[in-house]
Amino acid sequence: MFQPNLGGVYGVKLLPVGTLLDHRYQIVSILGKGGSGAVYKACDLQNNHIVAVKVLTVTGIEPHATMQLQYFQREVGLLKRVSHPNIIHILDSGISDEKFPYLVTDYVDGQSLKAILKAGQLTLKRTANILSQVSHALQAIHDQGIIHRDFKPQNILITENQQKETAKLLDFGIAKMIRGDREESYLHTITSKGIVSGTLQYMSPEHCQGHKLDERTDIYSMGITAYEMVSGRLPFDISSTVGMIMLHVEATPPAIPAIPKAVESVIMKAIEKFPENRFARAIDFSEAFANAVTESKDFSESFVIKGDGASPNQETEEFIIDPSEAPTAQHESNDPNIWTTIKRKLKF
């Protein structure tokens, strides 16, 4: 029997261990949960393989439930379009007997890049390796006309296999298709109801303002992630939604101490305010970063982030705490007039 875990006007129903989903996938344990569903470790009884099953079980009033379903359906559709060794692989999808949409992917035994950053052990050489892998994942989806829109350490899964570290890109819930000048069902970043689609600490200025997006919005988010990887902190991190958006749009990122200037310059180029001033392609960014690290070889081998890698207010505006947690990333502001407030402050 499903036990509801309600919060606010909507909630998530968790599947008990042992549940048989669609007469095939038996729930072994819960890997994570969020505002719209949960991800489980499960056994595929048809072939006795361990898989990961993401189940959308949000309940409640509009528009949240409908929006979550749209995001979930989009994720399923986009993952079916792309096959890449650094992108999680979709195995199956469907609707359960209880009418819950579900998505089955490879089970990857690893930890999020966020967890690694909190542990504080990261060299520049390792950073370059991870960025190279995820940049090729981004390039693969960009070549298919897809932008991720929620690139962040929580959505990068790191696993080790035969002493080789592999990074996989997760969570395509709010990704979207771009077809020339036409965009698929474009939804403003911030709606009149104050719902933010994305994760504010990593969102590009144009994403924050609800402007038209292209691949370079992901490059900005990748740059913010790289900044965090080499400094142990985010360039912008305050508790105010409007304040965070203003920082992305207007503020100069703080300098990154104790790393080679060449490496810092590459990161700063990736997080330029205007898209045309950033790298044109994700792999251009990772290659420039790797070259800068190579030029500082001795430094790259010895540099290690100290501390827990967490910023003071990081949990305030962080919408998915773990990469396995929900199929989408959202923040619901307490300010019902947030979009009007931001437009007034930014004078547009």
Side-chain angles (χ1 to χ4, degrees):
M1 182 177 181
F2 297 102
Q3 298 297 323
N5 177 18
L6 301 178
V9 295
Y10 55 87
V12 173
K13 292 184 177 181
L14 298 181
L15 307 183
V17 171
T19 297
L20 188 59
L21 187 67
D22 247 9
H23 312 286
R24 177 174 178 177
Y25 303 105
Q26 188 165 38
I27 303 301
V28 175
S29 63
I30 183 169
L31 297 176
K33 62 184 177 67
S36 60
V39 177
Y40 304 89
K41 182 178 181 180
C43 180
D44 182 350
L45 298 183
Q46 284 193 6
N47 52 34
N48 202 33
H49 285 174
I50 295 297
V51 295
V53 182
K54 180 181 291 187
V55 184
L56 181 69
T57 53
V58 67
T59 61
I61 63 173
E62 304 288 351
H64 182 82
T66 298
M67 184 182 299
Q68 296 288 4
L69 179 58
Q70 291 173 346
Y71 287 159
F72 190 89
Q73 292 171 333
R74 177 175 294 178
E75 180 175 23
V76 172
L78 294 182
L79 283 176
K80 286 181 177 179
R81 292 174 58 96
V82 181
S83 177
H84 191 273
N86 297 112
I87 294 176
I88 202 72
H89 181 220
I90 185 171
L91 301 174
D92 191 15
S93 64
I95 305 292
S96 72
D97 291 341
E98 295 78 15
K99 307 303 180 184
F100 294 145
Y102 67 87
L103 167 66
V104 183
T105 67
D106 291 328
Y107 173 76
V108 181
D109 188 9
Q111 59 181 328
S112 71
L113 176 58
K114 190 63 164 182
I116 292 173
L117 287 175
K118 288 182 177 180
Q121 298 296 312
L122 200 63
T123 65
L124 288 180
K125 182 178 180 181
R126 188 181 183 191
T127 299
N129 178 51
I130 293 172
L131 289 179
S132 176
Q133 294 187 59
V134 295
S135 74
H136 281 84
L138 277 181
Q139 197 64 54
I141 69 170
H142 291 168
D143 290 344
Q144 291 289 323
I146 302 168
I147 52 179
H148 191 281
R149 294 204 302 169
D150 198 27
F151 185 98
K152 58 183 177 181
Q154 296 92 321
N155 285 339
I156 300 170
L157 188 63
I158 307 296
T159 184
E160 289 189 13
N161 184 18
Q162 298 178 341
Q163 298 182 335
K164 179 183 178 182
E165 188 171 69
T166 301
K168 288 186 179 287
L169 185 60
L170 312 175
D171 207 329
F172 289 75
I174 64 170
K176 68 174 180 179
M177 295 292 300
I178 51 175
R179 303 185 182 92
D181 292 331
R182 298 178 60 191
E183 298 187 356
E184 179 189 83
S185 58
Y186 179 69
L187 176 69
H188 278 304
T189 299
I190 303 176
T191 71
S192 60
K193 294 183 180 297
I195 297 176
V196 181
S197 299
T199 306
L200 282 178
Q201 288 98 330
Y202 303 91
M203 284 167 61
S204 68
E206 63 270 25
H207 192 173
C208 287
Q209 296 175 85
H211 290 173
K212 183 178 179 180
L213 305 179
D214 61 22
E215 295 87 345
R216 293 168 295 184
T217 190
D218 286 339
I219 294 172
Y220 181 92
S221 301
M222 187 179 171
I224 296 291
T225 298
Y227 186 109
E228 186 178 7
M229 292 169 76
V230 303
S231 69
R233 59 184 173 85
L234 289 160
F236 310 122
D237 193 18
I238 60 176
S239 60
S240 165
T241 298
V242 174
M244 178 69 75
I245 289 174
M246 297 293 290
L247 289 174
H248 278 301
V249 174
E250 297 181 345
T252 301
I256 308 173
I259 69 167
K261 287 297 180 183
V263 176
E264 182 185 44
S265 295
V266 170
I267 294 173
M268 293 304 182
K269 179 177 175 64
I271 56 176
E272 284 279 353
K273 301 300 182 187
F274 297 102
E276 59 268 25
N277 294 334
R278 301 175 203 147
F279 294 96
R281 302 187 306 162
I283 58 175
D284 292 342
F285 171 34
S286 68
E287 288 174 358
F289 186 94
N291 290 337
V293 170
T294 300
E295 293 171 4
S296 310
K297 184 176 180 180
D298 293 339
F299 195 91
S300 71
E301 295 289 347
S302 61
F303 175 73
V304 177
I305 295 175
K306 301 299 183 182
D308 63 4
S311 300
N313 295 322
Q314 199 157 330
E315 300 301 325
T316 305
E317 295 288 336
E318 190 172 288
F319 315 133
I320 291 187
I321 306 304
D322 183 88
S324 64
E325 274 198 354
T328 65
Q330 295 184 355
H331 171 62
E332 190 167 345
S333 171
N334 293 326
D335 180 3
N337 301 312
I338 184 172
W339 187 234
T340 301
T341 302
I342 291 169
K343 287 196 290 186
R344 183 179 69 251
K345 286 182 176 292
L346 294 177
K347 299 179 175 60
F348 73 93

